[in-house]
Amino acid sequence: MTHPDVIQKENGVKISSRGLFAISLVFSLSVIIIVFGATFTEETIQYILSFNLLFLILAIGFRILALALWGLRIVLMSRSLGYHVGFFYSLNMVLAGLLAGTITPGQAGGEPVRVHELYRTGVKVGDATAVVIMERVLDGIILTCMGVIIMLMTREIWSTFSTSLIILIIAAWVFLLSFLFIPFLAMRYPIPMKCLILRLVSWITEKLSHTRLSSSKICACADTEIDNFFTCFSRFAGPARWGLLLGGIATGFFWVTEFMVASVILMGLGLDPHIILSFFFQILIAIIMMIPTTPGSSGITELSTSSLYALIVPAGMLGIFVLLWRFVTFYLNIILGVIAGMCIVHREISCRTEDSEEMTSDTPQPEEEKR
């Protein structure tokens, strides 16, 4: 039986979640060190000493506000489907998902965490999956709209990009836009999509020979939840569309708040915030981060960030900027995610303890013990 800590097995080599976490940190720190070494000048130390820490605190504040908006989006979309999910519970699941995202390619590990946590509040698995997928769809719509508008405002900047960077951006954008077709295919071709998903579930269950449930039981459960999944998309297009609309508004504010982090750090370094260009760069970075490459997209993110911001940040400041920005948007995720994960673990232990106590109290005792 595969140890639960092992989440990937390929060619007989097992990689645990701790191993992926270490790889993610190594990739991230390695690129930052390389950027520091390549851009270090005599002025770099002066830039570090003169940085205003108040702007770092403000950047962290913007980041936390963005995460709160993310949690609010889940609350609104769930409520439109008839489920009551508390705001702080939703915020905690977002934070826990951040930690899972640091060890999975494309930061995709956060989605299963949010589906599980929504299920724990009574949301059907199919509905929870639809909510999480619609999050990605809304992200794709908002980022695409923002990207098109800003691209028209900054057309001259494209001439400064390398060919490899442009290819990476196009590939990332195509990957992002692919999520927009999921609701369309689910509503337009429900039967073929259902058959495809069931075949995928059947294939996965055959590979997971150590599972406690039989393949037939898993497929039966999957059949029910897939129906819920497709029904949920129809509800989002009908009576629950107000949740989708409010979720889209929350998504817009989320990305604006998230993108302000870099501008605040630039101001802390004594530079112009370059809000329009910074937003444009971060839209590209956000899209690149969604491509499943390295764990947590580490290394790739730092490299693309340094390549883009080198156009507006002096060489001596570039390493400092990348480090501070990644601290707020990546390393802070780990800190907050660990705290949220501990809360979930404590809750699960408490629930299992209560369940075991109830089972013990409900079990009839032998007559001899009663006497």
Side-chain angles (χ1 to χ4, degrees):
M1 181 181 295
T2 304
H3 192 277
D5 189 43
V6 176
I7 63 176
Q8 183 175 336
K9 182 177 180 180
E10 187 173 347
N11 297 328
V13 178
K14 299 179 180 180
I15 304 177
S16 68
S17 57
R18 297 189 189 94
L20 288 176
F21 180 71
I23 292 172
S24 179
L25 289 179
V26 168
F27 280 177
S28 177
L29 290 173
S30 297
V31 175
I32 291 177
I33 291 172
I34 292 172
V35 173
F36 252 109
T39 61
F40 189 86
T41 64
E42 295 179 356
E43 299 176 342
T44 300
I45 297 177
Q46 296 178 357
Y47 292 144
I48 295 174
L49 296 176
S50 62
F51 179 77
N52 193 335
L53 290 177
L54 291 178
F55 284 96
L56 179 59
I57 296 173
L58 182 60
I60 294 174
F62 271 107
R63 174 62 173 164
I64 293 175
L65 177 58
L67 296 175
L69 289 167
W70 190 346
L72 178 63
R73 174 175 67 178
I74 295 176
V75 171
L76 293 171
M77 294 173 66
S78 300
R79 192 158 297 181
S80 69
L81 297 174
Y83 301 104
H84 180 76
V85 179
F87 170 74
F88 289 105
Y89 183 91
S90 179
L91 178 60
N92 192 76
M93 82 169 73
V94 168
L95 298 178
L98 294 177
L99 182 61
T102 62
I103 62 173
T104 50
Q107 300 184 337
E111 277 77 1
V113 171
R114 295 197 295 280
V115 170
H116 173 267
E117 287 299 287
L118 284 171
Y119 171 73
R120 292 290 291 169
T121 63
V123 182
K124 296 177 181 178
V125 174
D127 292 349
T129 304
V131 168
V132 171
I133 289 179
M134 286 308 299
E135 285 188 284
R136 286 268 185 166
V137 171
L138 290 175
D139 287 337
I141 294 172
I142 296 298
L143 288 175
T144 299
C145 292
M146 291 177 65
V148 170
I149 294 172
I150 296 179
M151 280 170 58
L152 294 175
M153 299 172 63
T154 58
R155 284 175 292 183
E156 69 282 354
I157 201 69
W158 281 91
S159 60
T160 62
F161 291 171
S162 64
T163 304
S164 58
L165 182 58
I166 292 176
I167 293 174
L168 181 61
I169 291 169
I170 293 174
W173 220 307
V174 170
F175 178 79
L176 175 64
L177 293 176
S178 64
F179 283 93
L180 303 182
F181 291 98
I182 295 177
F184 171 77
L185 293 174
M187 291 184 289
R188 185 69 178 83
Y189 306 103
I191 296 177
M193 285 292 292
K194 182 176 180 178
C195 293
L196 179 62
I197 296 173
L198 283 175
R199 287 179 183 176
L200 179 62
V201 171
S202 177
W203 180 79
I204 292 174
T205 53
E206 290 176 0
K207 299 296 182 182
L208 301 177
S209 58
H210 62 274
T211 184
R212 297 178 182 178
L213 298 176
S214 65
S215 177
S216 59
K217 289 183 178 180
I218 293 176
C219 289
C221 294
D223 184 76
T224 302
E225 293 304 335
I226 290 169
D227 289 336
N228 293 333
F229 176 74
F230 290 144
T231 302
C232 185
F233 278 127
S234 300
R235 292 168 65 189
F236 272 132
R241 59 179 175 271
W242 67 267
L244 204 58
L245 176 61
L246 293 179
I249 295 172
T251 302
F253 281 111
F254 163 78
W255 284 111
V256 170
T257 307
E258 180 87 346
F259 291 161
M260 281 300 299
V261 170
S263 295
V264 171
I265 293 175
L266 289 174
M267 293 170 65
L269 291 169
L271 301 173
D272 188 270
H274 294 287
I275 293 178
I276 300 298
L277 272 179
S278 184
F279 272 39
F280 177 56
F281 291 160
Q282 287 182 89
I283 289 172
L284 301 180
I285 295 168
I287 295 171
I288 291 172
M289 288 171 66
M290 293 181 183
I291 297 181
T293 49
T294 60
S297 297
S298 59
I300 300 295
T301 303
E302 288 81 2
L303 188 60
S304 57
T305 302
S306 58
S307 300
L308 291 169
Y309 277 91
L311 301 174
I312 59 176
V313 176
M317 288 187 180
L318 188 59
I320 307 169
F321 169 79
V322 174
L323 175 61
L324 292 173
W325 182 73
R326 282 304 271 169
F327 169 76
V328 177
T329 60
F330 180 72
Y331 298 105
L332 186 63
N333 292 354
I334 298 173
I335 298 172
L336 297 176
V338 167
I339 296 173
M342 290 174 63
C343 293
I344 292 175
V345 170
H346 176 73
R347 182 200 69 202
E348 293 294 327
I349 293 175
S350 299
C351 290
R352 292 184 181 183
T353 302
E354 292 175 1
D355 291 341
S356 61
E357 290 177 353
E358 290 178 1
M359 291 177 63
T360 303
S361 61
D362 292 340
T363 302
Q365 297 179 352
E367 291 294 330
E368 296 179 358
E369 292 184 8
K370 291 181 180 178
R371 292 173 187 174

